[in-house]
Amino acid sequence: MQRAPRVLIVEDEAPIRDGLVDLFSGQGFTVESVADGREGLARLTCNQYDLVLLDIMLPGLDGLSVLRRFRARGDLSPVLMLTAKGAESDIVAGIEAGADDYVTKPFGIRELLARARGLLRRQRAHAQQRQQAGAHRTTRFVIGGDASQVTLDADRLHIEWPAGRVTLTPREGAILTYLIGHHHRPVSRGELLTDVWGYRDGSIRTRTVDMHMAQLRGKLKAVPGGPKWIATVRGRGYRFDAKAEPEANAGVYR
Ligand code: CA
């Protein structure tokens, strides 16, 4: 049997925090909760969690700062943001800081659980892939042909070329890797939600794909040839439109 997934809840509003603790405990999760941003960051620094539920407006240290510091340390654990209604700029900033998805308060329990389970499922599948494939995984790609000298490192989460470098969030890295793996056809939003976010529940409605995609495209503008990497195929989704090859010395056959 798999061990119980470990969840950290960072939320200062006691009724919401207690409700979430009850909900996740009742579903067999190992739950820890804190009411303060600094305490949240301290826990994240000391422990490894399978999922983090992070409020944005927090005493001590706000949720966005917690998230930025957490991701800056290279931690890839999925983060689900809890945002206030109408706080659109928080959502954008949160995704920029590396959140995987968000729910707006007041949120439905079923919806929250479906997302939490999806993110966990994806995380586990990813960890398993890493373990099984080991050094034979392809994680470095040369994009746009040899002459372009542009490299994507999907593990270290950056795109590099002789004159510059762009850092990716875990979710952006996952989107790019998925599109490259299916470059021969368009990939729909629904497919991305299922395969990149792990959301199997078709009733989940979220703008998270569009928001991540807008941010990723914004970053690609700085990359040579990058603006042409992801094409929108009307009514069908997105297609990776550049040449992507495993880097010769990337350890694919090591
Ligand atoms: Ca709050």
Side-chain angles (χ1 to χ4, degrees):
M1 224 178 87
Q2 280 181 323
R3 70 175 173 83
R6 196 170 179 195
V7 181
L8 177 68
I9 296 164
V10 189
E11 166 66 80
D12 59 322
E13 287 168 73
I16 300 182
R17 188 177 62 246
D18 295 346
L20 288 173
V21 170
D22 285 350
L23 175 67
F24 281 89
S25 307
Q27 296 286 323
F29 290 74
T30 302
V31 186
E32 287 176 40
S33 72
V34 294
D36 172 276
R38 265 182 220 293
E39 179 61 21
L41 187 62
R43 296 277 178 112
L44 289 167
T45 307
C46 301
N47 308 315
Q48 185 72 45
Y49 298 93
D50 300 299
L51 178 68
V52 183
L53 302 185
L54 180 63
D55 185 27
I56 299 300
M57 298 278 280
L58 287 168
L61 187 67
D62 68 279
L64 292 175
S65 303
V66 172
L67 181 54
R68 286 191 193 106
R69 294 186 199 181
F70 174 60
R71 285 291 186 233
R73 289 203 322 267
D75 202 309
L76 306 179
S77 302
V79 173
L80 187 56
M81 274 189 295
L82 312 175
T83 60
K85 197 164 187 253
E88 188 82 355
S89 60
D90 280 351
I91 297 174
V92 172
I95 286 176
E96 203 176 286
D100 295 280
D101 197 5
Y102 63 93
V103 289
T104 306
K105 295 174 189 173
F107 43 79
I109 285 174
R110 250 199 68 204
E111 187 190 340
L112 182 74
L113 269 180
R115 290 187 201 214
R117 289 195 188 292
L119 292 174
L120 280 170
R121 191 181 298 131
R122 198 63 212 101
Q123 182 78 348
R124 280 198 162 142
H126 194 70
Q128 222 165 40
Q129 276 167 11
R130 276 170 178 247
Q131 238 172 24
Q132 284 168 355
H136 296 281
R137 268 180 338 129
T138 305
T139 57
R140 283 178 64 89
F141 299 90
V142 175
I143 300 183
D146 286 344
S148 78
Q149 295 186 289
V150 179
T151 311
L152 161 70
D153 190 321
D155 256 0
R156 294 192 178 86
L157 294 173
H158 58 234
I159 301 167
E160 247 178 343
W161 61 101
R165 166 196 272 236
V166 157
T167 307
L168 302 172
T169 65
R171 202 57 39 172
E172 288 167 344
I175 293 171
L176 266 182
T177 311
Y178 192 83
L179 290 179
I180 289 171
H182 300 82
H183 61 92
H184 49 283
R185 61 169 176 83
V187 170
S188 71
R189 279 187 190 81
E191 184 179 343
L192 286 171
L193 275 183
T194 308
D195 288 347
V196 176
W197 273 262
Y199 295 170
R200 286 189 194 154
D201 184 338
S203 69
I204 290 181
R205 295 279 170 268
T206 174
R207 288 177 50 227
T208 198
V209 174
D210 304 72
M211 296 177 86
H212 277 89
M213 199 56 91
Q215 180 179 281
L216 176 56
R217 281 174 153 161
K219 286 186 180 177
L220 292 179
K221 281 184 188 163
V223 179
K228 291 189 176 159
W229 285 12
I230 302 173
T232 301
V233 185
R234 240 189 127 153
R236 308 214 24 216
Y238 307 97
R239 191 184 58 225
F240 194 78
D241 245 5
K243 190 173 165 190
E245 290 176 316
E247 192 181 54
N249 299 316
V252 182
Y253 303 108
R254 189 156 55 199

